[in-house]
Amino acid sequence: MENTEYEIRPAKLSRAAELAELDRLCFSVPWSLQSFCDELQNPLAVYLVAEKDGRLIGYCGFWSVAGEGQITNICTHPLYRRKGVARALLKEAFRRAAKEKLSLMTLEVRRSNLAARNLYEEFGFSVIGERKRYYSDNGEDAVIMTVYFEDRSR
Ligand SMILES: CC(C)(COP(=O)(O)OP(=O)(O)OC[C@H]1O[C@@H](n2cnc3c(N)ncnc32)[C@H](O)[C@@H]1OP(=O)(O)O)[C@@H](O)C(=O)NCCC(=O)NCCS
């Protein structure tokens, strides 16, 4: 179900501290404030936020390099999950990827992260490989998921 109670918009550098706070709520190994400051100034990166009543409730980022997209992160505040926030963020990321004529979108996800894997499958991602013991906190494997877009040059 689409939710109209929040807005999806590009992230601004002024929101870096709020993004870092949200990340701490969502990940066992969150990014630092400095990482967000760097990423929000990275010309190859696109960061989108979901905002409700002035509060950030989710974000999604991707890099656009050599015609390919790489999702760096996506999360939704625990109190706002299963309301379509991540779906709305990914939808907008895909809209932008189409505008940039990217040939594919790829990402790494923890093998056990079924919530995220279900979400990605909904967008056409499928498993194309793995990275053994990729995550340093618990040695968990990463699964590489990719969706290939049609040749947009024709
Ligand atoms: C994964 C995550 C981003 C999903 O965010 P969300 O806003 O709750 O997701 P949505 O409501 O848009 O869900 C879209 C679909 O994803 C799947 N999904 C989401 N959460 C799920 C869950 N807990 N269990 C199973 N499937 C789930 C479902 O298919 C869902 O569709 P449905 O609700 O109609 O069944 C969120 O759980 C999160 O922030 N997790 C922690 C951070 C994380 O692991 N990020 C991914 C890093 S690779």
Side-chain angles (χ1 to χ4, degrees):
M1 185 172 61
E2 294 299 326
N3 191 322
T4 53
E5 290 174 11
Y6 50 82
E7 291 185 52
I8 307 294
R9 51 172 62 118
K12 290 191 176 138
L13 182 56
S14 58
R15 313 296 294 268
E18 289 166 84
L19 283 165
E21 194 185 323
L22 179 59
D23 222 50
R24 282 195 292 276
L25 289 175
C26 294
F27 292 101
S28 53
V29 187
W31 288 357
S32 64
L33 175 57
Q34 188 59 53
S35 298
F36 278 104
C37 291
D38 293 344
E39 277 295 277
L40 292 171
Q41 295 177 91
N42 177 352
L44 300 176
V46 174
Y47 280 85
L48 302 164
V49 294
E51 191 172 342
K52 179 180 167 59
D53 302 330
R55 193 169 172 224
L56 298 192
I57 59 169
Y59 81 88
C60 170
F62 72 94
W63 293 329
S64 175
V65 181
E68 298 182 358
Q70 161 110 28
I71 303 273
T72 57
N73 239 352
I74 182 165
C75 68
T76 299
H77 188 292
L79 293 178
Y80 296 92
R81 290 189 184 159
R82 287 320 270 276
K83 296 177 189 298
V85 174
R87 181 184 289 128
L89 285 162
L90 261 188
K91 201 170 159 192
E92 176 60 15
F94 270 49
R95 197 187 65 77
R96 286 166 183 257
K99 214 171 153 192
E100 288 188 37
K101 297 187 164 50
L102 299 186
S103 60
L104 61 82
M105 199 66 116
T106 191
L107 55 85
E108 282 114 13
V109 57
R110 287 178 194 261
R111 191 184 291 285
S112 67
N113 192 345
L114 294 182
R117 289 178 63 170
N118 284 346
L119 169 72
Y120 300 142
E121 278 170 15
E122 188 184 308
F123 281 80
F125 287 87
S126 55
V127 175
I128 60 144
E130 60 180 18
R131 298 192 202 285
K132 287 279 177 202
R133 302 186 62 77
Y134 183 74
Y135 295 99
S136 56
D137 59 332
N138 65 353
E140 186 169 357
D141 297 344
V143 168
I144 304 168
M145 297 183 78
T146 300
V147 56
Y148 296 93
F149 301 128
E150 285 170 25
D151 184 351
R152 296 197 167 110
S153 62
R154 278 182 274 159

